[in-house]
């Protein structure tokens, strides 16, 4: 099996485990990725969030709209560049993130335990791959 196929299958496996950890009452995986990125307490522009959440800009707009409707995030014009809108995690969003973070962290801990000493090697290889030039 090729590296792209293996990576795709592993990403699917990990995503399914995270979705299961979030449960039926939790945020979707895409919503979780946005909440996690915003959990640093900083406001972030939509383009940055889209890249981090790995979704196209129009999809991110819909995700953020839903999160705004649920009072988990809010938008504010950037004080340093009035043309840009930043997205922030609300207090309610911070509480929601804190509520589900332990379950998601346990997925990582479980994978690390299942891989044993190979987990460090895998992490190193994935970091190397992540730093490769984007030739898309």
């Amino acid at each position: 099996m090729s590296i792209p196929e293996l990576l795709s299958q592993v990403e699917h496996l990990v995503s399914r485990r995270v979705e299961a950890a979030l449960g039926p009452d939790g945020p979707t995986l895409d919503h979780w990725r946005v909440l996690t990125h915003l959990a640093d307490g900083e406001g972030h522009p939509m383009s940055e969030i889209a890249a981090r959440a790995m979704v196209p800009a129009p999809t991110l707009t819909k995700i953020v709209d839903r999160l705004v409707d649920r009072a988990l995030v809010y938008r504010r014009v950037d004080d340093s560049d009035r043309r840009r809108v930043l997205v922030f995690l609300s207090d309610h969003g911070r509480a929601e993130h804190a509520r589900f973070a332990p379950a998601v962290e346990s997925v990582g801990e479980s994978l690390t335990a299942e891989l044993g000493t190979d987990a460090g090697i895998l992490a190193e290889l994935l970091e190397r791959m992540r730093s490769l030039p984007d030739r898309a």
Side-chain angles (χ1 to χ4, degrees):
M1 189 171 290
S2 71
I3 289 176
E5 287 175 289
L6 284 168
L7 288 171
S8 180
Q9 289 183 359
V10 168
E11 191 277 334
H12 182 72
L13 167 80
V14 173
S15 293
R16 287 180 46 121
R17 287 189 180 192
V18 170
E19 288 170 341
L22 293 170
D25 298 327
T28 67
L29 183 58
D30 287 337
H31 291 185
W32 178 252
R33 288 177 176 150
V34 172
L35 294 175
T36 297
H37 185 57
L38 297 176
D40 65 2
E42 303 291 320
H44 295 277
M46 295 286 281
S47 58
E48 179 186 305
I49 300 168
R52 183 72 180 265
M54 299 171 287
V55 295
T59 301
L60 179 67
T61 299
K62 291 174 186 171
I63 291 169
V64 170
D65 286 345
R66 287 186 190 112
L67 294 173
V68 167
D69 290 345
R70 294 181 55 209
L72 297 172
V73 304
Y74 62 93
R75 295 178 177 101
R76 191 173 77 202
V77 174
D78 186 349
D79 292 334
S80 64
D81 182 350
R82 308 284 302 160
R83 298 168 295 174
R84 194 165 76 156
V85 172
L86 301 177
V87 181
F88 293 84
L89 199 60
S90 68
D91 289 341
H92 179 58
R94 192 168 325 290
E96 188 84 349
H97 183 267
R99 181 175 146 214
F100 289 99
V104 175
E105 287 170 13
S106 73
V107 171
E109 291 166 0
S110 174
L111 289 167
T112 298
E114 289 175 59
L115 291 172
T117 58
D118 292 334
I121 296 166
L122 177 60
E124 182 181 317
L125 290 171
L126 291 172
E127 284 293 336
R128 282 179 49 201
M129 286 189 77
R130 187 171 70 161
S131 67
L132 293 173
D134 185 356
R135 296 204 171 114

